Amino acid sequence: MAPGFKKVIIVGAGPAGQLLGLLLAKYGIPTTIVEQSTDLDANPRATHYGPPAMKILNLAGVGEDLRTRGFAPDTVAWRQRDGTFITGISHGILKDDPERITALPLNQLGKLLLEHGKKQPLLEYLFNHRVTAIGQDELQAWVDVEHAETKETSRMTADYIVGCDGANSIVRRSLFGDWEFPGKTWDEQVIATNVYYDFAKYGYSDANFIVGPEHWHMASKITKDGMWRVSYGQLPALKLEEVTEQLPEKFRTMFPGHPGPDQYKLVSMSPYRIHQRLAKQMRVGRFLLAADAAHLCNPFGGLGLTGGIVDVGGLYECLVGIYDNKADSDILDVYSRVRREKYQQIIDPMSSDNLKRMFPADPDNVMETDEFFKVCKKAETDTELRLKMIKDSHNMSYDFTQHYR
Ligand SMILES: Cc1cc2nc3c(=O)[nH]c(=O)nc-3n(C[C@H](O)[C@H](O)[C@H](O)COP(=O)(O)OP(=O)(O)OC[C@H]3O[C@@H](n4cnc5c(N)ncnc54)[C@H](O)[C@@H]3O)c2cc1C
């Protein structure tokens, strides 16, 4: 039987777009990724990929390289301002489980995906091509693209087009309007830094949420050679120059040992406005949305891309079903409904709670007031409960093959 369709276009060579392209091409579905930039994004963003994301990365065949280049953090801890341990979850219990949470800076994950993608004959990358407009009719969908240097424009068509074009997605804005991305923007801005400093010397765990009214932050080891991600909140939103100017004092106050600038090596720094937002739909006809183009959450707890990668895994199953004539195109409505529900029921509340937990009303008594901390404390000695808490992250996944004919 002839395949259910011929071709997919993905807008955006971020991690979500690249991963979807890799999965589809490996399956035998001709796919083109259209990316506006010359190169992959190198800003300090995602670092940790949770179990449901690792499952999809393993499926795409990149898990092993990811584990080799990155590392599997052990304990995620919550600490008081002075470093005192409140509670924590040790992932060491999973040993070499390929779905164990893994850390690797996003730019390195991007390179890894590109290496794997370039080996796929059915996957075409078009860098330097910016999508400027979209359209569709009963037979096909299209994107108008402009070449970054020549400014030449052309129209590319496909059976399905997936917007993996990030928070400012032109696909989403074209489908619903520029300002239609329901949700909220937090007052806090987050400053993400990559820095070499020996936190472990001061007894820090691999990942640490430091709670407190003013200097709340997260400090996590993100590379084998000892680079850490320190993300802290700042209120009200400051300009970049002010953030840069205040950074040495902020580091001196926050870091254990209170170092001066000659005692750490700052690699990068980037401020972010943070949001909780969800697109009205993740399917409109032949257009689909996935990852940041479809939903945003604050970075505390690393649920942004993990949720985006789970979208990718779901969309892959749906498109494969249609391609193999095992599902009709209505399965894409199920994709839209289920992925939106998973965001509303799991990703949005969990990531919001993670952020609010950073600045509790009564920081000295969090063990008495925070139910999550109470469960974590119990799980420190209850292995089964700890395993359940880790495995529960798979609740954001969904098996779309159950809708195959
Ligand atoms: C500080 C910080 C820490 C984070 N930490 C984590 C973490 O630990 N774990 C986690 O899971 N998530 C984390 N996240 C979230 C994560 O970084 C994002 O969810 C993820 O990068 C989104 O990937 P994406 O592929 O959807 O979009 P993007 O990475 O934004 O990629 C979109 C791509 O589309 C391209 N594009 C845009 N418009 C067009 C156009 N018109 N034409 C062609 N191409 C276009 C862009 O150039 C870009 O390459 C963090 C985020 C921040 C800010």
Side-chain angles (χ1 to χ4, degrees):
M1 194 191 277
F5 64 87
K6 293 200 181 78
K7 185 179 166 144
V8 173
I9 291 174
I10 296 168
V11 185
Q18 286 209 72
L19 182 60
L20 181 62
L22 178 61
L23 283 163
L24 293 175
K26 275 185 119 171
Y27 193 80
I29 301 175
T31 303
T32 299
I33 300 179
V34 184
E35 166 58 48
Q36 65 184 358
S37 306
T38 326
D39 222 333
L40 301 176
D41 180 36
N43 282 313
R45 295 202 287 161
T47 52
H48 291 72
Y49 314 103
M54 288 308 297
K55 186 176 175 182
I56 314 295
L57 289 156
N58 290 331
L59 178 71
V62 295
E64 205 179 318
D65 282 350
L66 178 53
R67 283 186 290 280
T68 307
R69 294 182 197 187
F71 81 104
D74 192 322
T75 300
V76 178
W78 282 262
R79 296 177 181 278
Q80 298 285 8
R81 231 337 254 112
D82 63 0
T84 308
F85 182 78
I86 300 170
T87 184
I89 305 171
S90 164
H91 290 252
I93 192 176
L94 291 182
K95 298 199 170 66
D96 293 332
D97 187 326
E99 289 177 12
R100 182 171 164 179
I101 187 170
T102 305
L104 184 75
L106 186 67
N107 60 331
Q108 294 184 40
L109 174 65
K111 275 188 205 151
L112 177 58
L113 289 166
L114 188 61
E115 281 168 32
H116 281 252
K118 288 275 186 189
K119 288 185 197 144
Q120 292 305 318
L122 292 180
L123 182 57
E124 178 188 31
Y125 277 90
L126 286 182
F127 282 95
N128 270 328
H129 285 72
R130 186 169 69 92
V131 170
T132 55
I134 69 168
Q136 61 180 320
D137 59 24
E138 275 167 26
L139 298 178
Q140 60 184 3
W142 60 86
V143 285
D144 291 336
V145 294
E146 181 189 76
H147 192 280
E149 282 148 24
T150 63
K151 301 293 173 203
E152 269 173 38
T153 57
S154 56
R155 176 163 288 189
M156 297 171 59
T157 61
D159 301 279
Y160 293 104
I161 298 184
V162 187
C164 289
D165 47 345
N168 198 29
S169 167
I170 177 106
V171 177
R172 186 194 64 244
R173 287 186 289 116
S174 305
L175 293 172
F176 304 113
D178 276 350
W179 306 108
E180 277 300 324
F181 198 7
K184 71 166 189 181
T185 298
W186 295 87
D187 290 337
E188 294 79 5
Q189 69 170 336
V190 165
I191 318 298
T193 66
N194 286 351
V195 58
Y196 284 92
Y197 184 64
D198 193 356
F199 288 91
K201 186 171 112 185
Y202 297 92
Y204 271 41
S205 312
D206 284 340
N208 308 268
F209 293 95
I210 313 294
V211 305
E214 198 184 343
H215 296 294
W216 52 272
H217 63 281
M218 173 159 199
S220 308
K221 187 178 163 196
I222 58 169
T223 64
K224 279 183 189 155
D225 74 344
M227 185 159 75
W228 286 64
R229 163 66 53 79
V230 176
S231 297
Y232 60 94
Q234 222 155 26
L235 234 182
L238 295 179
K239 296 201 183 85
L240 182 61
E241 311 85 71
E242 294 167 309
V243 172
T244 311
E245 201 184 313
Q246 292 181 12
L247 190 121
E249 197 42 44
K250 192 77 186 169
F251 275 11
R252 190 194 298 278
T253 312
M254 292 187 311
F255 288 12
H258 308 291
D262 54 337
Q263 290 166 285
Y264 53 79
K265 186 176 153 210
L266 179 66
V267 179
S268 53
M269 184 271 277
S270 197
Y272 295 97
R273 292 314 308 270
I274 48 174
H275 319 265
Q276 306 292 131
R277 292 187 184 276
L278 173 64
K280 285 167 136 180
Q281 290 175 55
M282 289 170 67
R283 178 205 184 179
V284 177
R286 294 176 178 276
F287 282 94
L288 289 316
L289 296 173
D292 274 19
H295 45 71
L296 299 173
C297 66
N298 79 79
F300 287 84
L303 291 170
L305 184 54
T306 292
I309 287 178
V310 177
D311 289 349
V312 164
L315 190 49
Y316 166 70
E317 286 177 351
C318 294
L319 289 171
V320 161
I322 301 169
Y323 188 78
D324 282 346
N325 297 297
K326 289 186 291 206
D328 56 42
S329 62
D330 291 355
I331 198 171
L332 297 171
D333 291 327
V334 183
Y335 164 79
S336 175
R337 177 175 57 75
V338 170
R339 293 311 323 153
R340 290 185 77 257
E341 279 170 11
K342 294 286 184 185
Y343 174 87
Q344 287 165 324
Q345 290 164 10
I346 300 175
I347 295 170
D348 181 32
M350 208 187 258
S351 58
S352 296
D353 285 351
N354 283 341
L355 181 58
K356 285 186 249 168
R357 195 166 288 121
M358 301 300 296
F359 36 87
D362 184 2
D364 295 332
N365 291 307
V366 285
M367 269 319 298
E368 284 74 54
T369 52
D370 190 317
E371 290 306 314
F372 172 76
F373 283 158
K374 287 182 192 166
V375 180
C376 278
K377 190 47 92 185
K378 188 161 184 286
E380 282 176 28
T381 48
D382 182 338
T383 315
E384 251 178 58
L385 176 61
R386 188 158 15 119
L387 206 51
K388 181 181 176 308
M389 286 175 80
I390 296 170
K391 299 264 175 192
D392 272 357
S393 60
H394 284 289
N395 290 345
M396 72 170 74
S397 304
Y398 184 86
D399 178 8
F400 288 93
T401 65
Q402 66 188 286
H403 299 282
Y404 287 2
R405 280 192 285 272

